Amino acid sequence: MDFPASAKKHSVASSSPSGANHTAPDSEVRKGQRHSITVLQQRLNSVIRGKEETIDILLISLLAGGSVLMEDVPGVGKTTLAKSLAKALDADFRRVQFTPDLLPSDILGASIYNPADGSFTFKEGPIFCSILLADEINRASPRTQSALLEAMSEGQATIEGVRHRLPHPFLVLATQNPVDFHGTYPLPEAQLDRFLVQLKVGYPDRKMEVEILYDHIHEQPDDEIEPILPVQEVLNLQEEVKKVHVERSTAEYLVEIVARTRSHPHLKLGVSPRGSLMFFRAVQACAFISGRDFATPDDVQRMAGYVLAHRLVMTSKARYGNTNKNDVIDEILKQLPVPT
C-alpha cells in the first residue's frame, strides 16, 4: 500500500520542546498504559498481517476519539480489523450493512406502539454501541447517511425530539468500495468532515499473503483475540491524550498547513476549523502512541495526509490533470518551513 506522501518526514524535529521538562512517560500508570497499547498493536498485527501503519493510525483515531473511513476494495480485511478491535476492547460492537432501502430509523431506533395500553416504547437502534461498523456506507441514501452526523460530531442522537446520549467511547468505522460506483451515493462534504481520518488497507505483499493462507488453515485469527484494553481504560487514555503538550510554534505550523489548503489554486474547498481541531487532537494522539507526552512537527507531518485529504475538494482542472489530494498536501509541507 502507498501511504500518503505527507506521512514521509520532510525534516527531523523530534527533540523535546525547548524551555519545558517533557520526557517520555515514566510513571507506573503510564508504563502500564503503554504496555497495553503495545500488546493491542501486536494482537491486531497478528490478525491483519503487514499493515502496521494502518493499525497505528486506527489506534491513534481511537485515542483521539475520532471516527474512521476505510475506503478500499473488498476482501482486504476492513471488517475483520473492526471486529478484532472490538474484541480486543471487549466493546459492544454492531455491524450495519448499508443498502439503498435502509432508513434512518434502522440505525437510530424508533418508538414502538403497544396496542394493549396505547403507549410507545423507544427501541434503540444499532447505533447505541461503542463501535459501529457502517459497511458500504455510500450505498445508503443521503437521508440515511445523515443519521450519523449528530452521533459522530456530538456523541448523541436526537430521535423524535428527544436527545439520547451514546455510549462512550463511541467510534464509527465506515467502509466504502472505491471501484464499483453503481448504485452509490457519494458522501457529502459535511459527512466526510466528521471522519477524523481516511484509511486504505491495501493488498498485502506476496510473502505476507502466503503467511495469511497458513494463518487461516484451521481457524480465523480473529477468533483468538481476547480482551486486552477495557473500554473504561480507553476513556482514561483519551483523557491522557488531551494532556500531551503541543508547543505554540507546532500549533501555528499546523494551522498554517490548514490555511494553505484554503487558498491553494488546485482546491475549491479547504479544511474547516473543525478539521483543524481534529488535526490537533490527532497530532496529540500520534505523539502519545509513540510514547511521548509532547508533540513535534513530525507528528503533524505524519498525520496530515490521513486527516486532511478527505476534507479537500479539488477543482475540475486539477482533477482532470491527474493531481491528487495527497500531492497537494505534500506540496504544502515541502513549501512550509518547519519550526525548530
Side-chain angles (χ1 to χ4, degrees):
M1 169 187 173
D2 293 329
F3 295 114
S6 55
K8 302 172 184 176
K9 299 173 183 174
H10 299 294
S11 71
V12 178
S14 57
S15 59
S16 176
S18 60
N21 183 23
H22 292 280
T23 57
D26 57 0
S27 70
E28 291 303 316
V29 173
R30 290 285 183 89
K31 287 180 179 178
Q33 292 171 337
R34 182 67 221 150
H35 176 71
S36 297
I37 292 173
T38 301
V39 173
L40 182 56
Q41 289 171 312
Q42 292 171 347
R43 295 293 171 82
L44 294 179
N45 283 320
S46 70
V47 174
I48 305 296
R49 294 274 198 154
K51 299 299 173 184
E52 291 83 1
E53 174 74 359
T54 298
I55 289 170
D56 271 5
I57 301 301
L58 176 63
L59 295 182
I60 287 170
S61 301
L62 174 69
L63 297 182
S67 295
V68 179
L69 176 62
M70 295 187 284
E71 183 182 75
D72 219 323
V73 296
V76 293
K78 300 185 297 293
T79 301
T80 301
L81 183 56
K83 289 168 60 179
S84 299
L85 178 63
K87 283 185 177 181
L89 301 179
D90 197 21
D92 187 12
F93 172 77
R94 308 282 177 84
R95 175 183 178 181
V96 178
Q97 183 67 47
F98 279 58
T99 56
D101 60 347
L102 192 72
L103 298 175
S105 58
D106 295 327
I107 301 171
L108 302 177
S111 294
I112 307 299
Y113 177 67
N114 185 352
D117 57 9
S119 64
F120 287 87
T121 303
F122 177 67
K123 181 177 174 57
E124 294 182 347
I127 200 172
F128 289 88
C129 64
S130 290
I131 298 180
L132 175 70
L133 175 60
D135 219 352
E136 295 188 291
I137 188 173
N138 57 332
R139 293 202 177 278
S141 68
R143 179 188 175 195
T144 302
Q145 291 177 10
S146 66
L148 292 174
L149 289 177
E150 183 183 15
M152 294 171 64
S153 181
E154 303 174 39
Q156 65 182 32
T158 302
I159 305 163
E160 298 173 356
V162 179
R163 184 176 66 178
H164 300 266
R165 297 295 299 176
L166 298 175
H168 289 283
F170 175 71
L171 176 69
V172 174
L173 298 177
T175 71
Q176 62 178 3
N177 185 345
V179 178
D180 182 12
F181 292 108
H182 182 70
T184 63
Y185 302 86
L187 297 180
E189 286 74 25
Q191 183 93 39
L192 289 170
D193 199 36
R194 283 166 168 79
F195 285 100
L196 176 64
V197 300
Q198 180 174 351
L199 278 179
K200 293 182 183 295
V201 178
Y203 292 118
D205 60 39
R206 293 185 182 181
K207 181 179 179 181
M208 199 58 65
E209 195 159 3
V210 172
E211 296 299 324
I212 292 172
L213 299 181
Y214 284 98
D215 284 346
H216 287 73
I217 285 181
H218 300 295
E219 58 187 358
Q220 300 290 332
D222 59 307
D223 290 341
E224 300 178 1
I225 293 286
E226 296 181 353
I228 298 167
L229 201 63
V231 170
Q232 182 57 48
E233 185 60 24
V234 174
L235 294 175
N236 295 337
L237 290 172
Q238 289 178 345
E239 289 302 313
E240 290 297 317
V241 165
K242 295 176 183 178
K243 300 175 185 176
V244 170
H245 180 77
V246 183
E247 282 283 330
R248 191 170 188 85
S249 60
T250 300
E252 290 171 348
Y253 177 57
L254 181 154
V255 170
E256 183 59 27
I257 294 170
V258 169
R260 294 284 181 106
T261 67
R262 298 169 185 165
S263 59
H264 197 282
H266 289 160
L267 301 175
K268 64 179 180 180
L269 181 65
V271 178
S272 69
R274 180 196 288 125
S276 298
L277 289 168
M278 298 178 83
F279 191 11
F280 186 84
R281 186 73 74 221
V283 167
Q284 288 180 300
C286 181
F288 186 86
I289 205 171
S290 300
R292 287 179 276 109
D293 61 354
F294 62 90
T296 72
D298 284 344
D299 298 316
V300 175
Q301 292 172 356
R302 181 185 183 189
M303 297 308 300
Y306 296 108
V307 177
L308 304 183
H310 62 284
R311 293 181 159 82
L312 306 178
V313 177
M314 307 285 291
T315 62
S316 299
K317 182 178 179 180
R319 193 166 60 250
Y320 291 118
N322 293 324
T323 301
N324 66 53
K325 298 174 182 179
N326 281 308
D327 289 337
V328 172
I329 295 171
D330 198 43
E331 176 190 323
I332 291 172
L333 291 177
K334 288 179 179 178
Q335 291 174 347
L336 281 178
V338 180
T340 56

